[in-house]
Amino acid sequence: MKKQHKELLKISAKELLLSLFDLSVPFFQASSIYRKNANDYINERRLERSEFWDRVKYLRRMGYIQTFVDKNQKYLELTKKGKLRGELFKKEIKEIRHPIKWDGKFRLVIFDVPEKHKTERDLLRSKLKQLNFIQIQKSVYAHPFECTEAIGALTYNYNLSDYVSIFIADAILGEENIIDHFLDRKILSKKDLRALVNKN
Protein backbone atom coordinates (compact mmCIF):
# COMPACT_ATOMS: atom_id res chain seq x y z
CA MET A 1 0.00 0.00 0.00
CA LYS A 2 2.86 2.38 0.85
CA LYS A 3 4.53 1.58 -2.48
CA GLN A 4 1.30 2.31 -4.36
CA HIS A 5 0.88 5.60 -2.49
CA LYS A 6 4.47 6.54 -3.36
CA GLU A 7 3.87 5.83 -7.06
CA LEU A 8 0.68 7.93 -7.06
CA LEU A 9 2.57 10.71 -5.31
CA LYS A 10 5.24 10.62 -8.04
CA ILE A 11 2.58 10.89 -10.75
CA SER A 12 0.68 13.72 -9.07
CA ALA A 13 3.93 15.57 -8.27
CA LYS A 14 4.92 15.30 -11.93
CA GLU A 15 1.59 16.83 -12.96
CA LEU A 16 2.06 19.60 -10.41
CA LEU A 17 5.53 20.37 -11.76
CA LEU A 18 4.18 20.66 -15.31
CA SER A 19 1.15 22.75 -14.38
CA LEU A 20 3.03 25.05 -12.00
CA PHE A 21 5.79 25.82 -14.46
CA ASP A 22 4.45 25.61 -18.00
CA LEU A 23 7.65 26.23 -19.96
CA SER A 24 5.65 27.06 -23.11
CA VAL A 25 4.19 30.20 -21.50
CA PRO A 26 5.95 33.36 -22.80
CA PHE A 27 6.58 34.63 -19.25
CA PHE A 28 8.64 31.57 -18.44
CA GLN A 29 10.43 31.60 -21.79
CA ALA A 30 11.55 35.18 -21.21
CA SER A 31 12.47 34.78 -17.56
CA SER A 32 15.46 33.08 -16.01
CA ILE A 33 13.49 32.63 -12.77
CA TYR A 34 10.56 30.21 -12.63
CA ARG A 35 8.46 31.25 -9.64
CA LYS A 36 4.86 30.80 -8.50
CA ASN A 37 2.84 32.06 -5.52
CA ALA A 38 1.69 28.92 -3.69
CA ASN A 39 -1.55 30.32 -2.25
CA ASP A 40 -2.60 31.83 -5.57
CA TYR A 41 -2.10 28.49 -7.28
CA ILE A 42 -4.04 26.58 -4.60
CA ASN A 43 -6.96 29.03 -4.80
CA GLU A 44 -7.01 29.10 -8.62
CA ARG A 45 -7.16 25.31 -8.81
CA ARG A 46 -9.30 24.76 -5.69
CA LEU A 47 -6.82 22.20 -4.43
CA GLU A 48 -6.77 20.30 -1.17
CA ARG A 49 -3.96 22.00 0.77
CA SER A 50 -2.59 18.91 2.51
CA GLU A 51 -2.40 16.99 -0.79
CA PHE A 52 -0.79 19.97 -2.51
CA TRP A 53 1.93 20.32 0.13
CA ASP A 54 2.62 16.57 0.04
CA ARG A 55 3.43 16.98 -3.65
CA VAL A 56 5.54 20.05 -2.96
CA LYS A 57 7.54 18.18 -0.30
CA TYR A 58 8.23 15.39 -2.79
CA LEU A 59 9.37 17.82 -5.50
CA ARG A 60 11.56 19.67 -3.02
CA ARG A 61 13.08 16.41 -1.77
CA MET A 62 13.89 15.48 -5.39
CA GLY A 63 15.59 18.84 -5.87
CA TYR A 64 13.12 20.07 -8.51
CA ILE A 65 11.82 23.10 -6.59
CA GLN A 66 12.67 25.25 -3.60
CA THR A 67 10.34 27.24 -1.37
CA PHE A 68 10.78 30.64 0.27
CA VAL A 69 8.74 33.38 1.93
CA ASP A 70 8.59 36.97 0.70
CA LYS A 71 6.34 39.59 2.33
CA ASN A 72 4.41 36.89 4.19
CA GLN A 73 3.70 35.05 0.94
CA LYS A 74 5.05 31.55 0.25
CA TYR A 75 6.57 30.99 -3.19
CA LEU A 76 7.71 27.96 -5.14
CA GLU A 77 10.70 28.34 -7.41
CA LEU A 78 11.93 25.94 -10.06
CA THR A 79 15.55 24.80 -9.81
CA LYS A 80 17.82 24.09 -12.78
CA LYS A 81 17.30 20.38 -12.16
CA GLY A 82 13.52 20.92 -12.08
CA LYS A 83 13.56 22.88 -15.34
CA LEU A 84 15.44 20.08 -17.09
CA ARG A 85 13.06 17.49 -15.64
CA GLY A 86 10.01 19.50 -16.70
CA GLU A 87 11.31 19.76 -20.25
CA LEU A 88 11.85 15.99 -20.35
CA PHE A 89 8.30 15.39 -19.11
CA LYS A 90 6.87 17.60 -21.86
CA LYS A 91 8.78 15.67 -24.53
CA GLU A 92 7.38 12.28 -23.55
CA ILE A 93 4.64 12.16 -26.21
CA LYS A 94 5.46 14.53 -29.05
CA GLU A 95 3.08 13.57 -31.82
CA ILE A 96 0.60 11.09 -33.23
CA ARG A 97 2.32 9.21 -36.04
CA HIS A 98 0.96 9.57 -39.58
CA PRO A 99 0.19 6.14 -41.07
CA ILE A 100 1.13 5.25 -44.63
CA LYS A 101 -2.57 5.30 -45.51
CA TRP A 102 -5.43 6.88 -43.59
CA ASP A 103 -8.26 4.42 -42.94
CA GLY A 104 -10.90 7.16 -43.06
CA LYS A 105 -11.89 6.70 -39.42
CA PHE A 106 -11.74 9.05 -36.46
CA ARG A 107 -10.47 8.31 -32.96
CA LEU A 108 -12.61 9.92 -30.29
CA VAL A 109 -11.18 10.59 -26.85
CA ILE A 110 -14.02 11.08 -24.37
CA PHE A 111 -13.51 11.79 -20.69
CA ASP A 112 -15.49 12.57 -17.56
CA VAL A 113 -12.96 13.57 -14.93
CA PRO A 114 -14.09 14.52 -11.40
CA GLU A 115 -13.47 18.06 -10.19
CA LYS A 116 -10.97 16.81 -7.60
CA HIS A 117 -8.68 15.96 -10.54
CA LYS A 118 -9.03 19.38 -12.16
CA THR A 119 -5.27 19.86 -12.51
CA GLU A 120 -4.83 16.54 -14.31
CA ARG A 121 -7.91 17.21 -16.48
CA ASP A 122 -6.53 20.58 -17.58
CA LEU A 123 -3.19 18.97 -18.38
CA LEU A 124 -4.94 16.32 -20.48
CA ARG A 125 -6.86 18.95 -22.45
CA SER A 126 -3.67 20.92 -23.02
CA LYS A 127 -1.80 17.83 -24.20
CA LEU A 128 -4.58 16.77 -26.59
CA LYS A 129 -4.43 20.21 -28.20
CA GLN A 130 -0.64 19.92 -28.49
CA LEU A 131 -1.16 16.58 -30.25
CA ASN A 132 -3.45 18.32 -32.78
CA PHE A 133 -6.75 16.85 -31.61
CA ILE A 134 -9.83 18.88 -32.48
CA GLN A 135 -12.28 19.63 -29.67
CA ILE A 136 -15.79 18.58 -30.71
CA GLN A 137 -17.45 19.08 -27.33
CA LYS A 138 -16.15 20.13 -23.92
CA SER A 139 -14.75 16.69 -23.11
CA VAL A 140 -14.72 15.09 -26.56
CA TYR A 141 -11.68 15.30 -28.85
CA ALA A 142 -11.04 13.72 -32.24
CA HIS A 143 -8.01 12.71 -34.31
CA PRO A 144 -7.87 10.82 -37.62
CA PHE A 145 -4.96 8.50 -36.79
CA GLU A 146 -4.42 5.52 -34.51
CA CYS A 147 -3.53 6.83 -31.05
CA THR A 148 -4.76 4.22 -28.56
CA GLU A 149 -1.29 3.40 -27.23
CA ALA A 150 -0.24 7.05 -26.96
CA ILE A 151 -3.44 8.13 -25.18
CA GLY A 152 -3.27 5.06 -22.95
CA ALA A 153 0.24 6.04 -21.85
CA LEU A 154 -0.81 9.66 -21.41
CA THR A 155 -3.82 8.88 -19.22
CA TYR A 156 -1.77 6.39 -17.21
CA ASN A 157 0.89 9.02 -16.54
CA TYR A 158 -1.82 11.46 -15.43
CA ASN A 159 -3.58 8.76 -13.36
CA LEU A 160 -6.80 9.29 -15.36
CA SER A 161 -7.20 5.87 -16.98
CA ASP A 162 -10.50 5.23 -15.17
CA TYR A 163 -12.07 8.39 -16.60
CA VAL A 164 -11.03 8.28 -20.27
CA SER A 165 -12.41 6.20 -23.15
CA ILE A 166 -11.32 5.90 -26.78
CA PHE A 167 -13.76 5.10 -29.58
CA ILE A 168 -13.25 4.56 -33.30
CA ALA A 169 -15.91 6.16 -35.51
CA ASP A 170 -16.53 5.45 -39.18
CA ALA A 171 -18.34 8.77 -39.49
CA ILE A 172 -18.98 11.89 -37.41
CA LEU A 173 -21.76 14.43 -37.84
CA GLY A 174 -20.20 17.46 -39.53
CA GLU A 175 -17.06 15.55 -40.47
CA GLU A 176 -16.51 17.73 -43.55
CA ASN A 177 -15.58 20.62 -41.25
CA ILE A 178 -13.41 18.32 -39.16
CA ILE A 179 -11.56 17.09 -42.25
CA ASP A 180 -11.06 20.70 -43.36
CA HIS A 181 -9.62 21.45 -39.92
CA PHE A 182 -7.03 18.69 -40.28
CA LEU A 183 -6.27 19.68 -43.87
CA ASP A 184 -5.63 23.29 -42.81
CA ARG A 185 -3.20 22.08 -40.15
CA LYS A 186 -1.53 19.65 -42.57
CA ILE A 187 -2.44 16.65 -40.42
CA LEU A 188 -4.36 15.24 -43.38
CA SER A 189 -3.38 15.77 -47.00
CA LYS A 190 -5.17 15.66 -50.34
CA LYS A 191 -3.31 12.40 -50.92
CA ASP A 192 -5.05 10.91 -47.86
CA LEU A 193 -8.44 11.90 -49.25
CA ARG A 194 -7.66 10.56 -52.73
CA ALA A 195 -6.55 7.22 -51.28
CA LEU A 196 -9.77 7.07 -49.29
CA VAL A 197 -11.91 7.76 -52.38
CA ASN A 198 -10.05 5.10 -54.38
CA LYS A 199 -10.52 2.60 -51.55
CA ASN A 200 -14.28 3.21 -51.54
Side-chain angles (χ1 to χ4, degrees):
M1 190 70 180
K2 287 184 178 180
K3 183 178 180 181
Q4 184 182 22
H5 175 73
K6 187 176 180 181
E7 290 302 315
L8 291 176
L9 181 59
K10 285 182 181 179
I11 293 170
S12 58
K14 168 183 169 181
E15 294 157 357
L16 177 63
L17 183 67
L18 288 175
S19 61
L20 274 172
F21 306 104
D22 186 347
L23 304 183
S24 65
V25 175
F27 167 77
F28 287 131
Q29 291 177 345
S31 174
S32 59
I33 299 176
Y34 300 79
R35 185 176 296 167
K36 197 89 170 185
N37 183 298
N39 285 325
D40 287 349
Y41 184 84
I42 291 171
N43 293 332
E44 286 169 8
R45 301 281 176 161
R46 300 176 184 175
L47 299 176
E48 177 64 39
R49 287 181 177 271
S50 60
E51 183 180 343
F52 173 82
W53 287 112
D54 280 345
R55 299 181 191 184
V56 168
K57 287 177 185 176
Y58 175 82
L59 291 172
R60 189 170 56 191
R61 191 165 64 247
M62 296 299 294
Y64 297 151
I65 65 172
Q66 58 186 11
T67 59
F68 66 95
V69 177
D70 183 28
K71 296 179 181 178
N72 295 322
Q73 292 292 317
K74 186 166 283 189
Y75 288 87
L76 311 176
E77 188 171 298
L78 195 63
T79 63
K80 287 183 179 180
K81 181 180 178 181
K83 182 175 182 292
L84 290 172
R85 191 60 178 163
E87 289 172 344
L88 284 174
F89 283 151
K90 292 180 78 67
K91 291 177 181 177
E92 284 180 352
I93 301 175
K94 294 182 180 179
E95 62 182 9
I96 303 298
R97 293 180 61 184
H98 192 304
I100 296 175
K101 289 184 179 180
W102 180 41
D103 60 8
K105 299 178 181 180
F106 291 96
R107 281 71 188 174
L108 301 179
V109 176
I110 301 174
F111 53 91
D112 184 13
V113 179
E115 190 65 22
K116 65 180 180 179
H117 297 303
K118 183 179 188 301
T119 298
E120 296 90 335
R121 184 180 63 206
D122 290 348
L123 283 169
L124 176 61
R125 281 201 178 99
S126 176
K127 191 63 180 180
L128 290 173
K129 290 176 182 177
Q130 289 176 29
L131 293 172
N132 294 308
F133 278 76
I134 182 174
Q135 185 176 15
I136 298 177
Q137 294 180 12
K138 188 174 182 180
S139 298
V140 180
Y141 289 76
H143 198 284
F145 305 145
E146 171 55 38
C147 57
T148 304
E149 186 175 335
I151 298 304
L154 185 66
T155 56
Y156 176 81
N157 287 342
Y158 290 165
N159 199 30
L160 295 177
S161 300
D162 292 340
Y163 311 112
V164 180
S165 299
I166 303 173
F167 297 91
I168 299 177
D170 291 319
I172 302 177
L173 185 65
E175 69 177 37
E176 295 83 3
N177 293 330
I178 295 173
I179 289 174
D180 286 342
H181 168 89
F182 288 116
L183 285 172
D184 289 343
R185 284 156 181 76
K186 303 187 185 305
I187 306 301
L188 287 174
S189 67
K190 296 292 185 181
K191 181 180 178 181
D192 290 315
L193 299 186
R194 285 196 298 270
L196 188 61
V197 170
N198 293 335
K199 178 182 176 182
N200 295 333

